[in-house]
Amino acid sequence: RHKMGDYTPYVFRTHDLGTTWSRIDAGLPQHEFCRVIREDPNRQGLLYVGTELGIHVSFDDGANWQSLQCNLPVTPIYDFVVKDTDLVVATHGRSFWILDDLTPLHQMHDDLLGASRYLLKPRDAVRNPPHIAAAWGGTPGGKNYHVTSGQNATFYIEELETGHVRKRVIDAGDDLERGVRIMYFLDQAAVGEASLTITDANGQHIKTFNSAIPAEKNDRDGLYITAAAGMNSFQWPMTYPDGMKMVDSEFHKRPGGPLAKPGTYQATLQVGDWSMTQSFELLKDPRISTSDADLAEQFDFLIQIRDKLSDIVLGVNRIRSLKRQLANWALRLASSEVATADAITRAKVLSDQLAAVEHQLVQVEFTSDGDTLNYREKLFEKLSALPPVVGSADARPTTQSYAVYRKLAGQADEQLSALTALIDGDLASFNTQLGELGVSIIGVS
């Protein structure tokens, strides 16, 4: 009837295979004529209607309607289809759009609507490694460019206060964000700290994310959740915790945690004394035939690499702590009446010995990307290049990867053993000398 100047929406429903019909368009805008209607096959009574100006949804078989426009442009909706748990929309003149993950709409029942807090069941997600080209994050503050490789060229980086980094592609649509989207409703902002904990099928703790976001960006570490009134969303990147943080270095990042194995996981939201748990699945990519045993071997190897990198970081942190203490004591001893030239000299020699080990473990000259062109990588940098290779595909680690790890880990162990010998030998002897001089000893953390 819109071709006759009547823009009223007309939507009809039948319960007897077309013998009788009743109108179900009450609540739709009066000047948006309708073009298409679909029922969600995953939940009875969940209807979507496309009009001349957008999309509306009904949770009660058409008795009531509300907008589902979100960020969809105002445009005629000519057709759409529910594909699994996504809504694919065909517009007239504004391209195709996809509303990813309809499972929150499937759960809009009385249990949720009547609750003051509710953790929605996350949609099962396909476990997939980061794209080998698109995984490069770029930097905020300006345009970034991919080296194509199947990816759109130009994008902006947006950093959220929760620590998540998102790309906004300029000249194309955005890909579905990797990971598991966990959504939860709070009728009012959480008083105090809220937390979201991920565990595996055996109840083993993986990671806890909290809502206590430091005000200063430099004080933030990792990812955080929000706990505002209304619907909240958190994207779990499907990874295990990172390794240790190296002190006195912004360039060297924490060793990354590996991608979780396929299987069942649980998310537990806690606000005060209240908590709720939902389970979800990480699914193996249906395009691959890699066995669960091979994926488990890959996971175990990546954990082993992460832990060895953390051992190196621990050694470097210990060295830097000792060097600071030795430098401070050298200054104090120089102005002390009880100091001896031998003690001052020993402090300097010991500091140089520690620095020699440090320079084998990590390249201390790396402070920005440009420095990598001027200085050689050391053990930490070399071993850090191995996880992206091992985890670049859903496959068993190669023989060459194991060989590289054995070589680099063996060299790291030699340097860490040398550090232990210095601490147990020369440093212990120096502490004895400091004690005889009546001053405090050097602490080893």
Side-chain angles (χ1 to χ4, degrees), residues 20-320:
T20 59
W21 293 83
S22 59
R23 287 184 64 174
I24 57 168
D25 45 53
L28 289 173
Q30 286 304 299
H31 299 289
E32 291 187 30
F33 61 89
C34 301
R35 292 188 174 275
V36 58
I37 185 169
R38 294 285 184 269
E39 181 176 26
D40 194 316
N42 300 289
R43 180 191 158 186
Q44 185 177 2
L46 179 57
L47 309 180
Y48 310 103
V49 66
T51 72
E52 181 66 4
L53 299 179
I55 291 181
H56 299 267
V57 61
S58 172
F59 296 94
D60 49 14
D61 211 20
N64 297 279
W65 293 91
Q66 57 186 289
S67 174
L68 193 61
Q69 196 72 8
C70 300
N71 64 328
L72 184 69
V74 175
T75 184
I77 307 300
Y78 271 36
D79 199 3
F80 44 58
V81 62
V82 176
K83 169 61 176 173
D84 298 328
T85 54
D86 295 330
L87 181 64
V88 184
V89 179
T91 74
H92 183 65
R94 297 302 297 268
S95 189
F96 288 96
W97 291 71
I98 300 177
L99 177 57
D100 299 304
D101 190 5
L102 296 171
T103 58
L105 301 184
H106 300 161
Q107 300 175 65
M108 292 290 181
H109 292 291
D110 292 342
D111 289 345
L112 187 156
L113 299 176
S116 59
R117 305 181 185 96
Y118 197 89
L119 173 64
L120 281 76
K121 181 178 176 61
R123 179 170 72 167
D124 296 341
V126 174
R127 170 199 179 275
N128 58 315
H131 192 283
I132 197 168
W136 178 69
T139 56
K143 291 182 180 179
N144 297 272
Y145 301 93
H146 277 303
V147 199
T148 62
S149 300
Q151 295 296 314
N152 299 296
T154 313
F155 61 93
Y156 286 101
I157 287 293
E158 297 174 346
E159 293 182 315
L160 307 183
E161 67 171 2
T162 57
H164 292 86
V165 176
R166 290 181 178 158
K167 293 182 179 180
R168 178 167 58 87
V169 181
I170 297 175
D171 48 5
D174 295 316
D175 288 336
L176 176 64
E177 190 172 2
R178 285 184 64 255
V180 179
R181 184 171 69 162
I182 302 171
M183 301 185 69
Y184 47 97
F185 170 78
L186 303 176
D187 65 341
Q188 59 183 0
V191 177
E193 185 176 320
S195 65
L196 182 68
T197 300
I198 308 296
T199 55
D200 64 14
N202 298 320
Q204 295 295 315
H205 178 268
I206 296 176
K207 180 74 174 179
T208 295
F209 307 91
N210 64 71
S211 62
I213 304 177
E216 294 295 329
K217 182 179 178 181
N218 291 337
D219 295 333
R220 299 171 190 168
D221 185 20
L223 301 179
Y224 298 86
I225 67 170
T226 57
M231 193 66 76
N232 295 263
S233 177
F234 175 80
Q235 197 80 11
W236 180 48
M238 306 182 292
T239 54
Y240 271 63
D242 295 338
M244 293 189 64
K245 177 71 174 72
M246 189 178 297
V247 299
D248 301 332
S249 175
E250 294 298 324
F251 178 85
H252 296 94
K253 306 303 180 184
R254 290 177 180 270
L259 197 63
K261 294 179 289 186
T264 302
Y265 294 84
Q266 291 184 326
T268 301
L269 177 68
Q270 182 160 0
V271 182
D273 296 331
W274 175 90
S275 66
M276 184 173 180
T277 300
Q278 295 279 15
S279 63
F280 60 91
E281 297 284 332
L282 286 187
L283 308 173
K284 186 162 62 175
D285 191 325
R287 299 170 297 178
I288 67 169
S289 58
T290 308
S291 68
D292 290 343
D294 285 347
L295 291 177
E297 181 179 346
Q298 180 193 56
F299 174 84
D300 292 340
F301 188 33
L302 288 169
I303 287 287
Q304 186 178 9
I305 299 172
R306 181 203 66 181
D307 292 346
K308 181 57 65 177
L309 285 167
S310 290
D311 289 342
I312 295 176
V313 171
L314 179 62
V316 171
N317 290 349
R318 181 173 290 179
I319 288 172
R320 291 177 177 177

Side-chain angles (χ1 to χ4, degrees), residues 329 332-333 336-340 343 430-441:
W329 275 119
R332 296 183 184 183
L333 290 172
S336 172
E337 296 180 356
V338 300
T340 64
F430 182 61
N431 274 331
T432 300
Q433 184 177 2
L434 292 179
E436 293 172 351
L437 294 174
V439 296
S440 299
I441 63 175

Side-chain angles (χ1 to χ4, degrees), residues 246-252 312-313 315-321 323-324 351-372 374-382:
M246 189 178 297
V247 299
D248 301 332
S249 175
E250 294 298 324
F251 178 85
H252 296 94
I312 295 176
V313 171
V316 171
N317 290 349
R318 181 173 290 179
I319 288 172
R320 291 177 177 177
S321 173
K323 285 170 59 181
R324 276 194 299 270
S351 182
D352 291 341
Q353 291 174 313
L354 291 169
V357 176
E358 178 187 13
H359 290 175
Q360 292 300 316
L361 292 175
V362 66
Q363 179 52 266
V364 298
E365 300 294 343
F366 283 171
T367 59
S368 64
D369 290 334
D371 293 333
T372 60
N374 302 315
Y375 301 96
R376 295 178 60 185
E377 293 181 335
K378 296 303 178 69
L379 290 171
F380 181 83
E381 293 84 15
K382 291 178 180 179

